[in-house]
Amino acid sequence: MNSPIGFILGSGWGGIIKNLQEKKETPYKNIFGHSTTVVGHSGKTITGKIFGRSVILLSGRFHTYEGYSSSDVTKTVRYLHEQGVKKIIITSAAGALNPKYKVGDLVILHDMITLFCQSPLSGNQFQNLSEAFGQDLINSAQQAAIQANLCFQKGVYVYLKGPHFETFADKMALRFLGADVVGMSTVPEVIMANHLGMQILGLSLVTNLAFVKHDHKEVLQAVKNQEQNLKRFFINLLKNV
Ligand code: HPA
């Protein structure tokens, strides 16, 4: 039997839930003992099927900027691993640093900068991250985006703790380091998922151009505008993985 595909849904990505059959919801409180505090993160686990494929969606995540440790925010990944998930899709909203990117672009992550992230691992957990994201999943996502007519990029994600957005000087520095998008999540989860031997797909939706002034409301609206395209993308993706 195929193992379920696990999802961690970032800011505004909850729209995919509407496609689910045999849906069963459990609030985070019942699993993790508490919910997430962030607007746009509903804080529930939803199991079900999308076109016959079993999925476990974690709608909402924990962030280090809410006061959780790097290890704490990866309890979602550890939970999915315990449920038998071998392939995990980690989604987020992100600001574009690459000047070629546009709001609404899907960014398929091929690498990430961990320099500003405290590791969720400790002791002798010397995790190799030279292929942090799975090449097969990257290829499948690329195909699914083409089929869905969705503009996509392949890029590098950089994590900052936040919750403040970056200054212009920060953004210049991050771009100089080689980052294409910036966000406040994903990296601790990807480190943990690698450690647990999972195959990982990282997806960011460009919700704002980092060099243009913006706020959290705009971030949520940008994801909402892409809901239909993302729905088609996920249907195609789940047929391929
Ligand atoms: N910076 C950091 N995190 C973000 C951004 C941003 O510009 N947009 C969405 N999440």
Side-chain angles (χ1 to χ4, degrees), residues 1-17:
M1 207 186 76
N2 277 336
S3 57
I5 306 283
F7 284 76
I8 297 180
L9 300 174
S11 285
W13 281 75
I16 180 185
I17 294 162

Side-chain angles (χ1 to χ4, degrees), residues 93-95 165-166 182-184 207-208 210 214 219:
F165 287 118
E166 307 72 43
V182 53
M184 302 174 195
T207 53
N208 56 280
H214 57 88
V219 167

Side-chain angles (χ1 to χ4, degrees), residues 3-9 28 31-32 45-47 55-59 74-90 193 196 198:
S3 57
I5 306 283
F7 284 76
I8 297 180
L9 300 174
Y28 274 8
I31 298 172
F32 303 118
T45 297
I46 306 117
T47 58
V55 295
I56 306 179
L57 310 180
L58 298 197
S59 180
T74 65
K75 60 180 123 190
T76 46
V77 179
R78 285 180 268 136
Y79 170 76
L80 288 174
H81 183 250
E82 282 160 20
Q83 303 307 306
V85 166
K86 295 191 169 61
K87 291 182 183 172
I88 183 169
I89 300 176
I90 298 179
L196 296 172
M198 298 162 111

Side-chain angles (χ1 to χ4, degrees), residues 55 121 145 154:
V55 295
L121 307 177
K154 275 167 78 179

Side-chain angles (χ1 to χ4, degrees), residues 213-230:
K213 219 171 159 190
H214 57 88
D215 60 25
H216 188 60
K217 262 208 320 256
E218 274 172 61
V219 167
L220 295 180
Q221 187 58 44
V223 190
K224 195 153 182 48
N225 295 345
Q226 280 292 42
E227 210 167 87
Q228 286 308 316
N229 290 336
L230 286 175

Side-chain angles (χ1 to χ4, degrees), residues 42-104:
S42 65
K44 56 190 176 190
T45 297
I46 306 117
T47 58
K49 289 195 169 172
I50 302 180
F51 290 93
R53 192 75 206 243
S54 292
V55 295
I56 306 179
L57 310 180
L58 298 197
S59 180
R61 58 155 52 90
F62 303 105
H63 302 81
T64 46
Y65 64 70
E66 293 172 85
Y68 298 108
S69 71
S70 213
S71 170
D72 274 350
V73 302
T74 65
K75 60 180 123 190
T76 46
V77 179
R78 285 180 268 136
Y79 170 76
L80 288 174
H81 183 250
E82 282 160 20
Q83 303 307 306
V85 166
K86 295 191 169 61
K87 291 182 183 172
I88 183 169
I89 300 176
I90 298 179
T91 70
S92 63
L97 297 162
N98 186 320
K100 294 194 183 128
Y101 289 11
K102 297 182 300 303
V103 169

